[in-house]
């Protein structure tokens, strides 16, 4: 069983490297088999379709983020301090060491926009994203309880919109940062820090009802 798990991980690692280098569509199953040093029949036995492997790669990327957010959630800091750490973690994720995996997340969204992917497979990714989303929602609720976050019910949707746009900006930076601003302007890390401070101010400002 351990050997099978290790082999599966090696295939996912090989696919991650090749997908990041050449893209989903330009990478063949034979390329991945060669990179993982397994026979093509073995690869297909573990992953019958390339889409299965794409989903496995994206799921692992997202799941690898979960422990970082769990650690923040379990710390002794108050809610607004935890949100600060969450946003800083997102910004750090576009650093050079994480650039390729962050780029794959954005590339995956483009891929499923132009290619049919079974709904059940998309639901696997949604469940992984939900783990992170649930942790962040719990942190917000905690901050409202400890008084460090002042977020009225009418501001809840506004906050979710701002946070989602922030996450989108992070992924856009990872995928398009090599392009000149004349072609596509993407937020720079220092600009993301400014946005982070604005988001924290939005959360910590007293509401009109208080």
């Amino acid at each position: 069983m351990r050997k099978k798990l290790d082999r599966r991980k090696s295939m996912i690692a090989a696919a991650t490297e090749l997908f990041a280098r050449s893209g989903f569509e330009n990478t063949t199953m034979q390329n991945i088999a060669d990179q993982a040093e397994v026979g093509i029949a073995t690869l297909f036995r573990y992953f019958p379709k390339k889409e299965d492997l794409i989903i496995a790669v994206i799921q692992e990327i997202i799941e690898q983020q979960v422990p970082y957010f769990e650690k923040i959630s379990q710390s002794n800091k108050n809610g607004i301090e935890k949100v600060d750490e969450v946003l800083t973690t997102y910004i750090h994720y576009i650093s050079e060491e994480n650039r390729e995996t962050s780029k794959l997340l954005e590339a995956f969204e483009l891929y499923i926009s132009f290619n049919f992917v079974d709904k059940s497979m998309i639901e696997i990714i949604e469940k992984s994203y939900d783990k992170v989303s649930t942790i962040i929602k719990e942190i917000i609720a905690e901050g409202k309880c400890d008084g460090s976050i002042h977020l009225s019910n009418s501001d809840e949707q506004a906050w979710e919109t701002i946070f989602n746009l922030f996450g989108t900006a992070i992924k856009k930076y990872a995928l398009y940062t090599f392009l000149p601003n004349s072609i596509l302007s993407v937020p720079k890390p220092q600009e993301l820090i400014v946005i982070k401070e604005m988001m924290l101010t939005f959360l910590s400002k007293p509401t009109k009802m208080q």
Side-chain angles (χ1 to χ4, degrees):
M1 179 62 72
R2 182 64 187 180
K3 185 177 181 180
K4 287 184 177 181
L5 288 175
D6 289 343
R7 180 174 290 178
R8 186 177 189 276
K9 286 183 177 180
S10 71
M11 294 175 189
I12 293 174
T16 301
E17 181 180 341
L18 292 176
F19 288 152
R21 184 193 308 164
S22 305
F24 297 121
E25 294 181 333
N26 293 329
T27 300
T28 67
M29 292 293 273
Q30 186 63 62
N31 294 150
I32 297 168
D34 292 343
Q35 180 75 11
E37 298 182 345
V38 298
I40 189 67
T42 299
L43 180 63
F44 275 112
R45 189 161 61 247
Y46 282 78
F47 301 98
K49 303 188 300 294
K50 186 167 71 171
E51 284 72 20
D52 295 323
L53 195 44
I54 291 174
I55 294 297
V57 166
I58 298 303
Q59 183 182 20
E60 179 154 309
I61 290 174
I62 299 169
E63 294 285 345
Q64 287 174 347
Q65 299 177 29
V66 174
Y68 294 101
F69 295 106
E70 287 178 336
K71 184 177 180 180
I72 294 171
S73 178
Q74 294 164 7
S75 72
N76 294 323
K77 296 182 178 181
N78 64 26
I80 195 67
E81 291 171 334
K82 291 180 180 181
V83 173
D84 190 347
E85 282 202 40
V86 165
L87 299 178
T88 299
T89 298
Y90 269 94
I91 294 174
H92 174 72
Y93 201 71
I94 61 175
S95 62
E96 194 63 37
E97 61 186 290
N98 298 313
R99 183 69 51 78
E100 294 303 315
T101 52
S102 185
K103 183 171 68 174
L104 277 176
L105 291 177
E106 176 67 10
F108 174 71
E109 294 181 6
L110 291 174
Y111 179 82
I112 62 177
S113 296
F114 293 96
N115 297 273
F116 173 77
V117 177
D118 189 86
K119 183 179 178 181
S120 62
M121 301 178 75
I122 298 299
E123 288 174 349
I124 293 174
I125 301 302
E126 289 177 339
K127 288 179 181 178
S128 294
Y129 269 122
D130 283 345
K131 292 180 181 180
V132 175
S133 178
T134 297
I135 292 171
I136 295 172
K137 286 179 181 179
E138 290 173 349
I139 290 174
I140 295 294
E142 181 182 342
K144 292 176 71 173
C145 289
D146 65 34
S148 63
I149 291 176
H150 303 278
L151 196 62
S152 67
N153 291 335
S154 60
D155 283 339
E156 289 277 3
Q157 186 172 358
W159 161 252
E160 289 183 9
T161 300
I162 294 169
F163 185 81
N164 288 336
L165 289 173
F166 179 78
T168 298
I170 294 290
K171 289 182 288 185
K172 292 290 184 186
Y173 178 88
L175 187 61
Y176 300 114
T177 186
F178 63 91
L179 293 175
N181 282 340
S182 58
I183 296 178
L184 180 66
S185 179
V186 295
K188 299 177 176 61
Q190 58 268 33
E191 293 173 332
L192 292 170
I193 293 173
V194 172
I195 295 172
K196 181 194 78 168
E197 296 302 325
M198 294 172 65
M199 293 170 71
L200 293 173
T201 298
F202 178 84
L203 287 178
S204 59
K205 67 178 177 63
T207 62
K208 295 179 181 179
M209 295 180 63
Q210 294 181 329

